[in-house]
Amino acid sequence: MAGLVAPATLEQIRAANDIIDVISAVVPLKRAGASFVALCPFHRERTPSFHVNPRKQTFHCYGCHKGGDVFTFIREYETLDFMEAVKRLAERARISLEFEKDPQYREKQFIKEKLFEINEQITQRWHGCLLSDAAGQRAREYLAERGVSDEAIKLFRLGFSPDAWDDTINWAKSKSFDLSSVEQAGLAIRKEGTNDFYGRFRGRLMFPICDDQGRVIGFSGRVLPGSNDERKYVNSPETPLFIKSRVMFGLDKSKRAILEKQFAVVCEGQLDLISCFMAGIQNIVAPQGTAFTSEHARIIKRYANEVVLCFDSDEAGQKAAVRVLDDLLGSGLAIRVATVPAPHDPDSYIKNFGAGAFEELIAKAEGFFDYYLNRLCKLNDIRTDKGQQAVLASMAEAAQKTNDPALVDRYAQKTAARLGINALSALQKFKSAAARQASRPAPEPDQPPEDLSWRPNNQEFWLLRILLLHDETLDWTRAHLHPDWIVNPLVREIVEDRLKTDADGQPVQPAAILYRISAPNAQALITEALAEQRPIPRPDEQLVEIATRLRNQSIDREVAVLNQTLGHPDMTPEETNSVLQELSALRAAKRGPLVALASAAL
């Protein structure tokens, strides 16, 4: 990231975007002494472990170890890359950006721009095939049968990929596109063990997938009736432009309507979305090529505070609505569920009953827990003890995930009324069912345990805290502490950067170090040191003590190495005498006070 934007410009943007103002706009903050705390927006938790330090302009979560400055927060919260976060904050502060020349950035941008160009060109090619080529007749007939208008075809730039293995390859060659770039765009597949390629999408109705700026980043190809291909959809693989868990089909066209209405309708498929959008229900999105994820929820949270799930009426669609609960709860979005009467999906419902009926269905969408209670009562025979216990246990498990005692109590009473049992008894069973759930052994993690070997010992952590929080200790440290005495490489790198000075001769501030050091976990370590609440009494005295211990430990390591060399059969008397003299000098140095280094410049 260094060299992309001038450090002075980054500092100007950071100074113009107070971290408290930025974070409090999306996360409720409460003052706690000199800092602010909140429930972490990056992971689910019951008690606040997310701290924001207004003096140092940093945040840190003790639960998930995420931390950084205002750029980091915007990047993580809104799922942006660094430059997008810089642009977003620069725009917020009305600061113009002037980019410096950065070869790596220019190379990445060149690749992305090339992929954007290829995607745009193939979109035009396939759109033309659908509109006028003889090969696209099947696709035109299918869309007419589905009631997709010419206006919708043009607005969403639908296309048709000819049913030939080499069509995309021949087209790319005619445009002088490098085939490896076409492969990188996800449009071509290399034949194993060769340099030959074939097209990924063949004989399919094509839906271009766009980013929130309307640029084509990928594709979804739907099989047409009469095809022998059993795969209903073929989607682009992940590419430098296309990350499925972060892509919402239609968002480029629907984001303004979502902002205006302050809720988003989430449906399952592209044709459902197109049908809704063209019928006037334009605050609608659909996950692309994957199940609904926490990333999708976070994207929606940028524009609205509520979602209405409107999945298909079949069992698979209803199960999908239940599965998204965990991801939506973690986002802070309110959840309602619109149930489309069987056997319809949103597309067929609108075709049969009109847009007004569908809008009414959305308006009357139940809160998630009302929907879930109704669903459980349909799936279980509530006339039996077994059925009632199943409903109680499932409702308890879901309600407890909200960490909201009032909601738990309310739905215990609603469940009791629905089952015809005593409300107090239901609440007790609710709580006991939740307790049983909480006492179950945690499932084996899919990932290996977190590697914490990067964390420093307590001594070096406190050294880091002193140097980051107390500018007045830096001159003495430059003169008396050698970075080689520090064992932890992360601490050593951060300390070395902190002991430098900027162009004006002033100390490099922690906020600047956050983006200058690219080592993994560096940001978490810096922000943890800044967020630590324990006071540092007499920092100058503590610094001398820590530096002395670090020096002595470094001497002990040198002594251990020299002791190993003594007595080696190949050593001459002169070499042995030299080692003994070194050992004597090291032991004398350890007994003495810290002295100024030969060179204080680092």
Side-chain angles (χ1 to χ4, degrees):
M1 233 48 83
L4 181 57
V5 180
T9 304
L10 286 175
E11 287 303 321
Q12 183 186 8
I13 296 169
R14 182 187 287 108
N17 287 277
D18 182 80
I19 197 167
I20 300 298
D21 292 341
V22 172
I23 295 181
S24 63
V26 291
V27 178
L29 295 176
K30 293 182 179 180
R31 180 172 283 282
S35 65
F36 291 80
V37 299
L39 292 174
C40 181
F42 303 115
H43 80 287
R44 292 184 60 209
E45 61 180 5
R46 296 188 179 186
T47 56
S49 59
F50 181 82
H51 289 251
V52 187
N53 186 323
R55 189 165 69 89
K56 293 298 183 180
Q57 291 290 295
T58 59
F59 73 92
H60 181 81
C61 175
Y62 289 97
C64 65
H65 302 300
K66 283 189 183 293
D69 59 3
V70 69
F71 295 117
T72 312
F73 180 83
I74 289 296
R75 186 183 70 213
E76 293 287 341
Y77 187 79
E78 299 198 11
T79 62
L80 306 173
D81 64 28
F82 180 78
M83 276 314 306
E84 288 172 328
V86 171
K87 291 175 185 176
R88 184 73 56 87
L89 290 170
E91 183 179 347
R92 181 180 184 272
R94 298 184 179 179
I95 294 173
S96 299
L97 287 174
E98 293 183 3
F99 295 96
E100 296 179 346
K101 294 182 179 180
D102 183 280
Q104 289 184 340
Y105 173 73
R106 292 172 69 88
E107 175 65 20
K108 288 180 181 178
Q109 286 301 106
F110 175 80
I111 292 171
K112 287 186 175 181
E113 291 302 323
K114 175 59 67 176
L115 299 186
F116 276 127
E117 181 185 3
I118 292 171
N119 285 343
E120 174 59 30
Q121 291 287 327
I122 197 71
T123 297
Q124 294 178 19
R125 150 77 171 163
W126 286 337
H127 188 57
C129 288
L130 175 63
L131 293 180
S132 55
D133 282 13
Q137 182 63 30
R138 277 194 307 145
R140 290 193 292 272
E141 291 173 352
Y142 172 75
L143 289 172
E145 291 171 6
R146 294 294 301 261
V148 180
S149 66
D150 291 344
E151 181 186 3
I153 290 171
K154 292 176 181 177
L155 178 63
F156 286 89
R157 306 180 71 192
L158 305 187
F160 174 74
S161 55
D163 194 6
W165 292 85
D166 59 353
D167 184 80
T168 297
I169 306 308
N170 292 336
W171 166 84
K173 290 178 179 177
S174 74
K175 295 289 185 180
S176 300
F177 288 131
D178 181 70
L179 291 183
S180 61
S181 296
V182 179
E183 179 188 24
Q184 194 173 17
L187 300 172
I189 299 174
R190 188 188 299 265
K191 294 180 181 177
E192 190 173 354
T194 73
N195 286 321
D196 297 327
F197 297 87
Y198 60 91
R200 181 181 299 275
F201 302 100
R202 305 176 303 280
R204 289 178 173 269
L205 175 65
M206 299 304 299
F207 297 86
I209 313 301
C210 299
D211 63 12
D212 60 1
Q213 298 179 49
R215 300 174 298 183
V216 181
I217 58 176
F219 297 90
S220 181
R222 192 192 194 284
V223 72
L224 291 169
S227 172
N228 294 324
D229 195 333
E230 296 181 355
R231 299 170 299 171
K232 187 175 182 180
Y233 284 96
V234 170
N235 297 306
S236 291
E238 297 213 342
T239 72
L241 303 181
F242 183 70
I243 301 174
K244 288 184 285 189
S245 65
R246 298 181 180 180
V247 176
M248 301 287 282
F249 179 71
L251 182 62
D252 58 310
K253 297 175 179 61
S254 64
K255 60 185 180 181
R256 184 175 297 276
I258 294 172
L259 274 169
E260 291 173 354
K261 292 186 177 291
Q262 275 301 291
F263 75 93
V265 178
V266 179
C267 65
E268 285 191 89
Q270 292 101 340
L271 287 174
D272 285 336
L273 183 142
I274 291 172
S275 181
C276 291
F277 194 91
M278 301 308 295
I281 300 98
Q282 298 188 345
N283 54 324
I284 187 164
V285 291
Q288 178 54 51
T290 184
F292 192 92
T293 68
S294 57
E295 295 288 352
H296 293 138
R298 193 178 297 175
I299 291 168
I300 291 175
K301 192 71 167 69
R302 297 185 207 170
Y303 305 98
N305 293 313
E306 183 181 41
V307 295
V308 177
L309 304 176
C310 189
F311 294 165
D312 290 352
S313 57
D314 60 19
E315 185 62 18
Q318 297 305 293
K319 285 183 177 179
V322 174
R323 280 197 302 269
V324 303
L325 174 65
D326 287 354
D327 289 321
L328 284 171
L329 284 178
S331 71
L333 288 163
I335 315 163
R336 291 189 291 140
V337 182
T339 304
V340 182
H344 295 290
D345 55 26
D347 177 42
S348 65
Y349 189 84
I350 290 173
K351 297 290 192 304
N352 282 271
F353 304 104
F358 186 76
E359 285 187 294
E360 185 177 354
L361 187 147
I362 295 296
K364 293 181 177 179
E366 300 175 293
F368 176 86
F369 290 98
D370 291 308
Y371 156 80
Y372 192 42
L373 177 58
N374 289 332
R375 173 173 166 77
L376 290 171
C377 289
K378 290 177 183 177
L379 293 176
N380 297 278
D381 185 353
I382 61 174
R383 296 169 299 179
T384 67
D385 288 343
K386 180 180 178 182
Q388 291 185 357
Q389 290 298 330
V391 172
L392 282 168
S394 296
M395 281 297 295
E397 180 183 352
Q400 287 290 337
K401 290 177 180 178
T402 66
N403 296 322
D404 183 344
L407 183 142
V408 170
D409 183 72
R410 183 165 68 252
Y411 279 95
Q413 294 185 42
K414 283 193 173 188
T415 305
R418 186 65 178 273
L419 299 179
I421 62 178
N422 179 271
L424 181 58
S425 173
L427 182 59
Q428 291 171 343
K429 291 179 180 179
F430 239 54
K431 292 180 177 179
S432 63
R436 287 196 301 272
Q437 175 66 23
S439 65
R440 291 174 186 168
E444 290 296 320
D446 294 330
Q447 301 296 328
E450 183 182 3
D451 179 14
L452 296 178
S453 60
W454 57 272
R455 295 190 61 80
N457 59 36
N458 192 56
Q459 179 174 263
E460 295 190 356
F461 180 73
W462 276 87
L463 169 70
L464 192 61
R465 287 200 67 214
I466 292 170
L467 296 183
L468 289 175
L469 292 168
H470 294 276
D471 287 1
E472 70 276 10
T473 64
L474 298 180
D475 286 341
W476 185 91
T477 305
R478 290 189 192 96
H480 294 87
L481 186 143
H482 199 292
D484 286 348
W485 296 345
I486 301 170
V487 174
N488 185 282
L490 267 185
V491 176
R492 187 186 316 123
E493 185 176 2
I494 296 167
V495 167
E496 286 179 329
D497 210 18
R498 176 68 164 134
L499 295 180
K500 295 175 182 176
T501 55
D502 62 21
D504 298 324
Q506 298 300 311
V508 175
Q509 293 303 308
I513 300 173
L514 281 169
Y515 72 87
R516 285 163 50 138
I517 295 182
S518 59
N521 302 309
Q523 285 199 340
L525 185 56
I526 293 171
T527 55
E528 181 180 351
L530 294 172
E532 169 65 58
Q533 297 296 301
R534 287 175 291 175
I536 306 175
R538 306 184 309 281
D540 51 347
E541 295 180 19
Q542 286 209 48
L543 176 60
V544 173
E545 292 178 8
I546 291 173
T548 302
R549 285 198 296 270
L550 290 175
R551 180 204 64 181
N552 292 347
Q553 290 164 6
S554 176
I555 289 174
D556 289 342
R557 291 191 291 272
E558 290 185 65
V559 167
V561 172
L562 290 173
N563 278 330
Q564 287 182 345
T565 65
L566 286 176
H568 193 281
D570 294 333
M571 287 187 69
T572 64
E574 291 78 10
E575 289 173 334
T576 299
N577 188 54
S578 176
V579 170
L580 290 171
Q581 289 179 359
E582 278 189 74
L583 285 170
S584 179
L586 287 171
R587 287 168 180 143
K590 183 178 176 180
R591 290 191 297 270
L594 282 173
V595 295
L597 301 175
S599 174
L602 298 174

